[in-house]
Amino acid sequence: MFLTSLTSAHDLDRAVVVGDDALSRAELVDRAGRFAAGIPGDGPVAVHATPSLDTVVAITGAILAGVPVVPVPPDSGPAERGHVLRDSGATAWAGDRPEGVDLPLVVPGRAPVAPREIDPERTAMLLYTSGTTGAPKGAQLSGRAIAAGLDGLFEVWDWTPDDTVAHGLPLFHVHGLILGVLGSLRLGSRVVHTIKPQPARYAAAEASMYFGVPTVWNRIVEDPESARALGKARLLVSGSAPLPASLFERIAGLTGQAPVERYGMTETMITLSARAAGERRAGWVGLPVPGAETRLLPAEDGAGADARVPDDGETVGKLQVRGSMLFGGYLNRPDANDECWAGDGWFRTGDLAVRDADGFHRIVGRESTDLIKSGGYRIGSGEIEAVLLDHPSVAEVAVVGLPDPDLGQKIVAFVVGDGGDGQVLIDHVASQLSWHKRPREVRFVDALPRNPMGKVQKKLLLGT
């Protein structure tokens, strides 16, 4: 059981705070133990993962019982929710039961049960990915993998039991749930969930560490008073999406410290991060965390098995990772497992990256949709999008490569904005990146095509 600090002699008043509700560590252990006593059989248990103490209790209780837990997004529709419940084989439900869910509810017992001795290789959590195609896949994370991923972050972020972590992120993803809650429970630090990631709530938390995604950080810098209050913290962490360089600078200017950027996936936990005591560079997600390895393979097809791209900070390669924090495969998806594993423990992330001579990594896009081959160059669209999003006239953008008789593919930017001058945006990119990375065309649109999870569907733009 990887939540070792929960059952230690050490207690902490208001160890877990969610909105206006709080539990000490002893109270959490008691409630989680009683929840564990009410779990019928060996699960899995599906948890309606609202931002609440009930969610924290249910997930903690399932972990103490050694039963796999399946966090279910509270805003998931009937089709998605039905797929998750069928695919996971969930045998019980915790939380408010939406219409159409007929699983028995977990009814907590009168007395808590002691934590079970569990095989650390057993699946502790099933997290469903929100892929751009097909039904969500269940990533199986073992207790050992979760522990390894968290322990690596304790080291690189200088995270100690004296810290208070604050965030308002969803409790059904790696970022908000595993890092933001289970990390504190494993280490023995305090966690404050603000329900919503609003600037004033972050400021009121008076934490030493804050977690957020770029959207959250953008809202915080738009509230300078709240942003300056976060200057008392020792670490501001951004992840889950690229952080524009201009936003990086605004955070640093208002809080007095540059944010820490990191990279990870549901399947891999966090494998790359800037260090608390090291360099923090806008747009770069740092070095491998302890226990993780990376390699960059040539982006072109047909390269030899031992081929690698140079560590020059420019050459794009296919990012692969391995380490003790990786998941154990997708549930019921042997086809997906065959596709994602490259042998010898290496996982194909599907992301494109560059790495410099110091080992720093920068993510430049997705292999399936973001690799553009133009004029003999291999270009990741993600870095172009990041530069365009820094321009005040751009609200949203998607960059793709469209067929071109001369270049092979030409870089085209689809922009949602104020309908300004496309040449201005082309010149803006050319002033920030290499000349060959500038868009050859800018098309202004009213909206970008997105799937139900909000991800841009670039394949629909390729046909325009």
Side-chain angles (χ1 to χ4, degrees):
M1 201 271 292
F2 58 87
L3 297 184
T4 50
S5 289
L6 267 183
T7 54
S8 68
H10 171 70
D11 193 16
L12 181 66
D13 187 40
R14 295 179 63 83
V16 181
V17 180
V18 182
D20 295 327
D21 299 323
L23 291 174
S24 70
R25 199 165 299 279
E27 290 168 336
L28 175 60
V29 170
D30 177 73
R31 282 190 56 182
R34 286 189 282 116
F35 180 91
I39 297 175
D42 290 329
V45 172
V47 176
H48 196 226
T50 59
S52 65
L53 278 180
D54 286 343
T55 294
V56 177
V57 167
I59 289 174
T60 305
I63 291 170
L64 293 179
V67 172
V69 61
V70 185
V72 180
D75 61 349
S76 58
E80 178 187 351
R81 186 169 55 244
H83 165 75
V84 167
L85 297 182
R86 288 190 302 272
D87 188 68
S88 67
T91 59
W93 179 271
D96 293 336
R97 191 161 46 182
E99 185 176 349
V101 174
D102 56 4
L103 294 173
L105 285 173
V106 176
V107 179
R110 291 179 178 272
V113 295
R116 289 172 58 184
E117 288 291 332
I118 9 172
D119 180 356
E121 301 298 343
R122 183 180 182 183
T123 297
M125 191 166 292
L126 265 170
L127 293 179
Y128 277 78
T129 65
S130 55
T132 55
T133 60
K137 301 188 292 288
Q140 302 174 96
L141 287 168
S142 69
R144 188 185 301 279
I146 294 172
L150 291 173
D151 290 349
L153 294 180
F154 297 158
E155 182 174 337
V156 301
W157 291 347
D158 296 338
W159 191 347
T160 77
D162 293 329
D163 278 306
T164 294
V165 175
H167 72 91
L169 303 172
L171 296 183
F172 46 86
H173 287 156
V174 166
H175 198 169
L177 175 57
I178 297 182
L179 274 59
V181 174
L182 299 187
S184 293
L185 297 184
R186 174 169 174 78
L187 185 64
S189 56
R190 183 169 174 261
V191 59
V192 176
H193 194 284
T194 61
I195 306 290
K196 295 181 179 180
Q198 295 172 342
R201 295 187 182 191
Y202 267 46
E206 298 184 342
S208 59
M209 298 171 62
Y210 287 90
F211 295 166
V213 299
T215 300
V216 171
W217 292 116
N218 187 63
R219 292 171 180 169
I220 286 172
V221 298
E222 293 297 324
D223 183 345
E225 182 179 355
S226 294
R228 282 190 284 269
L230 268 56
K232 300 175 185 176
R234 66 170 193 82
L235 206 67
L236 310 176
V237 181
S238 181
S240 299
L243 187 71
S246 60
L247 181 52
F248 180 100
E249 298 299 338
R250 292 181 69 191
I251 295 169
L254 285 167
T255 65
Q257 62 170 299
V260 164
E261 297 186 62
R262 89 302 183 278
Y263 165 83
M265 302 173 65
T266 300
E267 295 88 341
T268 68
M269 299 277 286
I270 306 304
T271 50
L272 292 163
S273 180
R275 269 49 177 171
E279 180 183 5
R280 307 177 193 181
R281 192 189 309 172
W284 294 74
V285 292
L287 304 162
V289 304
E293 299 177 75
T294 66
R295 67 181 184 183
L296 295 181
L297 275 60
E300 64 270 16
D301 295 327
D306 296 327
R308 300 289 184 271
V309 304
D311 291 338
D312 57 9
E314 282 290 332
T315 305
V316 175
K318 302 175 183 179
L319 176 64
Q320 295 185 3
V321 301
R322 70 177 176 183
S324 52
M325 67 287 295
L326 267 62
F327 77 138
Y330 298 112
L331 181 68
N332 303 324
R333 290 293 305 272
D335 57 328
N337 290 324
D338 289 342
E339 184 178 339
C340 73
W341 294 108
D344 200 23
W346 289 102
F347 175 76
R348 299 183 179 103
T349 66
D351 284 318
L352 301 167
V354 301
R355 184 170 56 193
D356 72 6
D358 296 323
F360 255 61
H361 295 66
R362 179 162 53 89
I363 308 300
V364 298
R366 290 291 291 172
E367 182 183 339
S368 59
T369 55
D370 293 339
L371 179 62
I372 301 172
K373 301 176 182 179
S374 181
Y377 295 100
R378 286 166 175 79
I379 303 159
S381 66
E383 60 179 337
I384 303 171
E385 291 166 349
V387 170
L388 286 169
L389 284 170
D390 273 340
H391 196 279
S393 68
V394 176
E396 299 177 59
V397 63
V399 171
V400 300
L402 296 183
D404 183 86
D406 179 42
L407 298 169
Q409 288 182 310
K410 65 178 179 180
I411 301 172
V412 178
F414 289 81
V415 173
V416 177
D418 62 8
D421 188 340
Q423 188 60 48
V424 170
L425 298 181
I426 293 171
D427 294 342
H428 173 67
V429 173
S431 70
Q432 301 294 317
L433 300 176
S434 300
W435 180 251
H436 64 266
K437 296 177 181 178
R438 73 194 188 283
R440 299 304 178 106
E441 183 181 348
V442 174
R443 301 184 186 181
F444 291 96
V445 295
D446 293 330
L448 298 174
R450 296 181 182 273
N451 68 7
M453 297 300 295
K455 291 190 175 183
V456 175
Q457 295 182 292
K458 287 192 175 182
K459 290 181 179 179
L460 297 180
L461 296 174
L462 297 176
T464 43

